[in-house]
Amino acid sequence: MTVMMMIKKAVRFPIPFVIVFFLFWLEILSVGVGGTSTGANAKALNGNHEDEGVSTVGSLVRKDERESLVSTEYGEISAVQISDGSTTGRYHLQFITLEPNALFLPVLLHRDMVFYVHTGSGRLSWVNEDEMRRVDLQRGDVYRLPTGTVFFVQSNLEQERQKLRIYSIFTNSIQDMHKPYMGAAAYSSIHDLVFGFDKKTLRAAFNVPEEVIEEITSGTIPQAIVHAPPAKGKGKTFWQFEAQFMKALLGSKSNSMFNIYNKKTKTFNILKADPDFQNCNGWSLMVTKKKLPALRGSNIGLLMVNLTKGSMMGPHWNPMGSEISIVTQGRGIVRVVCSSSVSESECKNTRFRVEEGDVFVVPRFHPMAQMAFNNDSLVFVGFSTTTKKNHPQFLVGKASVLQTLDKEVLAVSFNVTNTTTSQLLTAQGESIILECTSCAEEEEREMEEEIEEEKEEARRREEEEAKKREEEEARKEEEEKRRKEEEEEARKREEEEARRREEARREEEEARKREEEEARREEEEARREEEEQEEEARRQEKEARRREEEEAKRREEEEEEQEEEARRKEEERRREEEAKRREEEEARRREEEEEEAREEEEEEEARRKQQKREQAEQKRRQEAVEREEEEARRQEQEREEMERQEKVRRERERQQEEEEARGHKEKGTGGGGGSEKEPKVLKKIWKV
């Protein structure tokens, strides 16, 4: 935003010139940090100060975001933990509310406690340096209790029956101020401290009968806030036993917790004190250890700011500590600007609306401005993280730090003329708390406009992201489609390759089967040839044996009867061998047929062909056998015929010899009887 634009805006809206200067100053400061000065967003409005990894300066916790710690019919305690963005940890605040005539039971402080009484009245009692102290509390009181203090609080029973509301912050002492608060308990109850021991130890420590300890320890553990009992009573209650413990610590002779006070002290009332600054636009007050000695040794101070309607606490920063503030009345706008020591990526200027009960933090060195609306004032009480001389550094008015700088140097810093610089420094006559009619409304309007712009920007981003998602989905779908097509193509290639492999396998299987068939045929042919050779060898052997027999018969012509018997036996033996051979052949044939039957079961077509070949071969062998048998019969008949002829021939020769011999004999005897015997001999020879 340029200076001319700010001037035009000042003309359009009834905003004092100091606002123009304020906006100008914010613009200059934002140039120093490298970012815009009006970067608030919807999250800042709602108390969430994180925007896509960039933290907005300042923190806000709404009243309804407090954490409830205790809640009874006599009171309640809620807490807030909030950070200023530094390395010193988180600040722990508690909001203690007591109904009229209620009692907050004794606790032991683990950390320093600085508090402000917002409403109501009561009494604070605590043990300090071996003595009991007390202080009456009323609205506006401020006080501090150091670490290690044992204290309790009782609210008064007034006619107005106002609740006692105490706003407190718990922090380290000044000796431990560099140690961050890490969320440990701010205090512990006396009950936990006392009854953590066993009964025997308690009885010895308190020097009371066992039945007293038994009665106390068997009772119901009370809550942190109870109804305040009367000063005197017949029975001894649990909290009275705690009071006796405190009395024992002090060495008091009284048994009543209301009768053991030794010293009364005073608080500082911030509402009754004279303000540090006051004008018609409001007032402010800072409470230091000088005004409240109890703050000595603490690193916490207090402040209170009261802005009237349509006013503003001028732009300023704290050089010594952060501010943790609680809105006690009204509503307004808080504007916080990043320090130039951080980059835009680490910090973002912000503004947020605050209402009664809200807690907000402004870190050290971060310029701020608080503005009240035109129809409502803005009052807040704050805790400062230092009790040193923390003089706020204001940027406008008579108390402006810019007034102490050389005008020419300031003009060069702002990159404007000396005249413009003089106008900026002299136009505002007020200081610290300024009139700022409609400033809060304008800030809220701009905040809402920025929110709408950010919503629109978010909507555009969402649309762009949706478009990107759609494009990404379309791209993914296209990639998925392309991937599926590639997978389908790959699948088809794999199927084709598998088909080719299957065909190759089938061809190899067929080739293997053909080779096996060929090997089987060759083996069968070799077997047949071997059988034929064996058959031929048997035939030749038979023929040779036949020739030998014939030769033997020829050599044994003279022993015809024996030869005939031998021939018959030989014939019978031959027939037996032939029958045996036929049986062996038949058995072998059956084995072959069984083997062929098994082969037929494996391959039907081969079996049929093999069966046909075997049948043909069997028929051929049978025909061969029949031919051989026929040939053998023929040869036997021929042999028998030859033998018969040979016998006839020999018989004839013998007869001839006999006739010749008989003829010689007849010639010698002169008889003719030979003619009568010849027919008988012929009949005998020819068997007729």
Side-chain angles (χ1 to χ4, degrees):
M1 185 182 294
T2 64
V3 176
M4 291 303 298
M5 292 176 63
M6 289 187 287
I7 294 175
K8 291 180 180 179
K9 182 175 287 190
V11 174
R12 289 174 56 194
F13 299 95
I15 303 176
F17 182 75
V18 65
I19 300 303
V20 178
F21 169 75
F22 178 47
L23 296 174
F24 173 76
W25 173 81
L26 291 179
E27 180 68 21
I28 295 298
L29 184 60
S30 66
V31 172
V33 298
T36 61
S37 62
T38 57
N41 54 23
K43 294 181 179 180
L45 180 64
N46 294 324
N48 190 341
H49 306 292
E50 294 182 0
D51 183 13
E52 299 178 356
V54 180
S55 63
T56 54
V57 64
S59 299
L60 172 66
V61 178
R62 299 293 183 189
K63 183 178 181 180
D64 56 3
E65 294 175 345
R66 298 175 185 174
E67 178 186 4
S68 177
L69 302 181
V70 176
S71 180
T72 72
E73 60 178 316
Y74 304 109
E76 59 183 13
I77 303 175
S78 58
V80 166
Q81 292 195 50
I82 195 166
S83 173
D84 61 359
S86 66
T87 59
T88 56
R90 302 172 67 86
Y91 299 102
H92 183 73
L93 285 76
Q94 286 194 9
F95 302 85
I96 303 173
T97 301
L98 301 180
E99 296 289 338
N101 200 28
L103 176 66
F104 177 64
L105 293 177
V107 294
L108 171 64
L109 280 177
H110 298 175
R111 302 188 178 277
D112 281 10
M113 174 182 177
V114 179
F115 64 87
Y116 164 76
V117 180
H118 180 47
T119 63
S121 62
R123 174 172 291 182
L124 168 68
S125 303
W126 75 97
V127 177
N128 185 18
E129 298 178 355
D130 296 333
E131 62 180 356
M132 177 66 78
R133 296 193 178 192
R134 67 179 181 180
V135 64
D136 292 329
L137 302 177
Q138 57 182 329
R139 180 174 177 268
D141 282 350
V142 176
Y143 203 71
R144 174 229 175 191
L145 294 175
T147 303
T149 301
V150 177
F151 78 95
F152 60 90
V153 181
Q154 181 180 2
S155 60
N156 292 336
L157 182 59
E158 300 175 341
Q159 293 182 354
E160 297 83 0
R161 299 190 65 82
Q162 280 191 332
K163 297 180 180 181
L164 176 60
R165 291 185 174 89
I166 298 176
Y167 297 167
S168 57
I169 184 170
F170 297 87
T171 182
N172 296 326
S173 64
I174 195 169
Q175 290 81 7
D176 299 328
M177 62 182 302
H178 297 295
K179 296 181 180 179
Y181 177 81
M182 301 305 294
Y187 46 78
S188 58
S189 70
I190 296 299
H191 172 274
D192 295 337
L193 298 177
V194 175
F195 292 100
F197 298 98
D198 57 36
K199 298 177 182 180
K200 184 176 181 180
T201 303
L202 291 176
R203 184 166 59 85
F206 287 98
N207 193 23
V208 295
E210 183 177 357
E211 56 269 16
V212 175
I213 299 298
E214 187 67 30
E215 179 183 356
I216 295 300
T217 56
S218 61
T220 303
I221 300 176
Q223 295 179 319
I225 301 175
V226 299
H227 184 265
K232 296 181 180 181
K234 296 181 180 181
K236 187 176 291 187
T237 61
F238 178 85
W239 61 265
Q240 287 174 325
F241 193 77
E242 292 181 345
Q244 183 180 349
F245 172 74
M246 296 181 68
K247 173 191 71 71
L249 291 177
L250 299 175
S252 173
K253 297 180 179 181
S254 175
N255 289 330
S256 174
M257 63 182 300
F258 298 96
N259 298 325
I260 58 176
Y261 307 116
N262 290 334
K263 188 174 181 180
K264 188 172 183 180
T265 186
K266 293 183 179 181
T267 60
F268 179 86
N269 192 286
I270 201 169
L271 300 178
K272 296 179 181 180
D274 294 332
D276 295 334
F277 176 84
Q278 184 175 15
N279 62 14
C280 61
N281 298 315
W283 57 267
S284 66
L285 174 63
M286 181 70 182
V287 181
T288 63
K289 60 184 178 181
K290 183 177 180 180
K291 296 178 181 179
L292 180 59
L295 292 178
R296 293 173 182 172
S298 171
N299 61 344
I300 293 292
L302 286 97
L303 60 94
M304 191 169 194
V305 176
N306 188 327
L307 301 178
T308 61
K309 298 177 181 179
S311 62
M312 172 181 68
M313 172 66 76
H316 66 284
W317 76 85
N318 289 314
M320 299 303 295
S322 302
E323 283 187 13
I324 305 98
S325 301
I326 306 168
V327 179
T328 59
Q329 181 181 336
R331 62 191 186 94
I333 295 291
V334 178
R335 182 63 188 265
V336 185
V337 178
C338 291
S339 170
S340 60
S341 62
V342 294
S343 63
E344 183 181 3
S345 62
E346 297 175 349
C347 179
K348 187 174 182 181
N349 300 336
T350 186
R351 55 167 72 87
F352 44 83
R353 183 174 56 241
V354 293
E355 299 176 354
E356 182 178 348
D358 292 347
V359 180
F360 64 93
V361 174
V362 179
R364 181 185 182 187
F365 295 127
H366 288 71
M368 72 185 104
Q370 295 92 357
M371 291 160 274
F373 286 97
N374 293 339
N375 59 355
D376 201 351
S377 60
L378 175 61
V379 182
F380 58 90
V381 60
F383 299 98
S384 174
T385 58
T386 180
T387 56
K388 297 181 180 179
K389 294 181 179 180
N390 180 34
H391 297 293
Q393 301 297 306
F394 287 85
L395 294 169
V396 298
K398 297 178 181 180
S400 172
V401 68
L402 302 180
Q403 297 284 359
T404 61
L405 298 178
D406 185 271
K407 302 300 185 291
E408 294 182 357
V409 174
L410 190 62
V412 175
S413 299
F414 287 169
N415 195 20
V416 296
T417 63
N418 293 339
T419 303
T420 302
T421 302
S422 299
Q423 291 176 351
L424 289 175
L425 296 179
T426 58
Q428 178 57 263
E430 297 290 341
S431 63
I432 302 180
I433 300 179
L434 313 172
E435 179 184 359
C436 194
T437 305
S438 300
C439 288
E441 284 79 2
E442 178 66 14
E443 288 282 338
E444 186 176 42
R445 185 186 64 79
E446 291 185 4
M447 184 166 56
E448 291 175 351
E449 289 178 356
E450 290 173 359
I451 292 172
E452 291 299 324
E453 290 177 359
E454 292 187 357
K455 287 182 179 179
E456 182 65 22
E457 181 65 23
R459 185 185 62 78
R460 286 196 299 269
R461 286 197 300 269
E462 289 178 357
E463 291 178 353
E464 292 176 358
E465 291 176 357
K467 184 177 179 181
K468 289 181 180 179
R469 286 195 297 271
E470 291 177 357
E471 293 176 354
E472 182 68 18
E473 290 176 357
R475 184 183 64 79
K476 289 182 179 179
E477 289 178 358
E478 183 65 23
E479 291 179 354
E480 182 68 17
K481 182 179 179 181
R482 186 165 56 253
R483 184 184 63 79
K484 289 182 178 180
E485 291 176 353
E486 292 176 354
E487 290 179 354
E488 182 66 20
E489 185 66 22
R491 186 184 62 79
K492 290 181 179 179
R493 288 197 298 270
E494 290 177 358
E495 291 178 353
E496 182 65 21
E497 183 66 21
R499 186 182 62 78
R500 287 197 297 269
R501 288 196 298 270
E502 182 64 22
E503 290 179 355
R505 188 188 64 78
R506 285 198 298 269
E507 291 176 358
E508 291 178 358
E509 183 69 19
E510 292 176 357
R512 184 182 62 79
K513 289 182 179 179
R514 286 195 298 270
E515 291 176 358
E516 292 177 354
E517 182 66 23
E518 184 67 23
R520 196 162 46 247
R521 284 198 299 271
E522 291 178 356
E523 183 180 354
E524 182 64 23
E525 185 67 23
R527 185 176 59 79
R528 284 197 300 272
E529 290 178 358
E530 184 178 356
E531 290 177 354
E532 290 177 356
Q533 291 175 0
E534 291 178 355
E535 186 67 23
E536 180 66 20
R538 285 194 298 272
R539 188 184 63 77
Q540 291 177 0
E541 182 181 358
K542 182 178 178 181
E543 183 67 23
R545 190 169 58 252
R546 186 182 60 79
R547 286 194 300 270
E548 289 177 358
E549 290 176 354
E550 291 178 354
E551 183 67 23
K553 288 179 181 180
R554 284 193 299 269
R555 287 193 304 266
E556 297 175 354
E557 290 177 355
E558 294 179 354
E559 298 176 356
E560 182 177 353
E561 295 295 333
Q562 295 178 358
E563 290 178 357
E564 184 69 23
E565 183 67 23
R567 241 187 345 267
R568 189 170 57 254
K569 291 180 180 180
E570 180 66 22
E571 182 67 20
E572 290 177 358
R573 184 184 63 79
R574 189 169 57 252
R575 288 176 182 175
E576 289 177 357
E577 289 178 353
E578 184 67 21
K580 183 178 181 181
R581 183 184 63 78
R582 284 198 297 270
E583 289 178 358
E584 291 177 352
E585 290 180 354
E586 184 65 23
R588 185 167 59 255
R589 184 182 61 79
R590 284 196 300 272
E591 290 178 357
E592 291 175 355
E593 289 177 352
E594 290 175 358
E595 180 67 22
E596 290 172 357
R598 284 192 296 272
E599 291 178 356
E600 286 175 355
E601 291 178 357
E602 297 176 355
E603 296 183 10
E604 183 64 25
E605 184 64 24
R607 188 192 63 76
R608 288 196 298 271
K609 292 180 180 181
Q610 185 65 24
Q611 185 178 6
K612 290 178 181 180
R613 288 194 296 271
E614 289 179 354
Q615 290 176 356
E617 180 65 22
Q618 182 180 0
K619 184 176 180 182
R620 186 184 64 80
R621 286 196 302 271
Q622 186 174 0
E623 290 176 353
V625 171
E626 290 176 354
R627 285 196 301 272
E628 290 177 358
E629 292 178 351
E630 182 66 25
E631 180 67 21
R633 284 193 299 272
R634 186 183 62 79
Q635 291 177 359
E636 182 66 23
Q637 289 176 359
E638 289 178 356
R639 185 183 61 76
E640 291 178 353
E641 181 65 22
M642 290 176 64
E643 290 178 352
R644 188 182 62 78
Q645 291 178 2
E646 181 67 20
K647 184 177 180 180
V648 171
R649 185 185 61 80
R650 286 195 301 269
E651 185 66 26
R652 285 178 180 177
E653 289 178 355
R654 186 181 61 78
Q655 288 177 0
Q656 188 177 1
E657 289 177 356
E658 289 178 355
E659 287 177 357
E660 288 178 359
R662 199 168 44 246
H664 289 301
K665 186 177 180 179
E666 288 178 354
K667 289 179 180 182
T669 59
S675 59
E676 296 177 358
K677 295 181 180 180
E678 183 175 357
K680 294 180 180 180
V681 174
L682 291 175
K683 290 180 181 179
K684 186 178 181 181
I685 294 173
W686 292 101
K687 296 181 179 181
V688 294

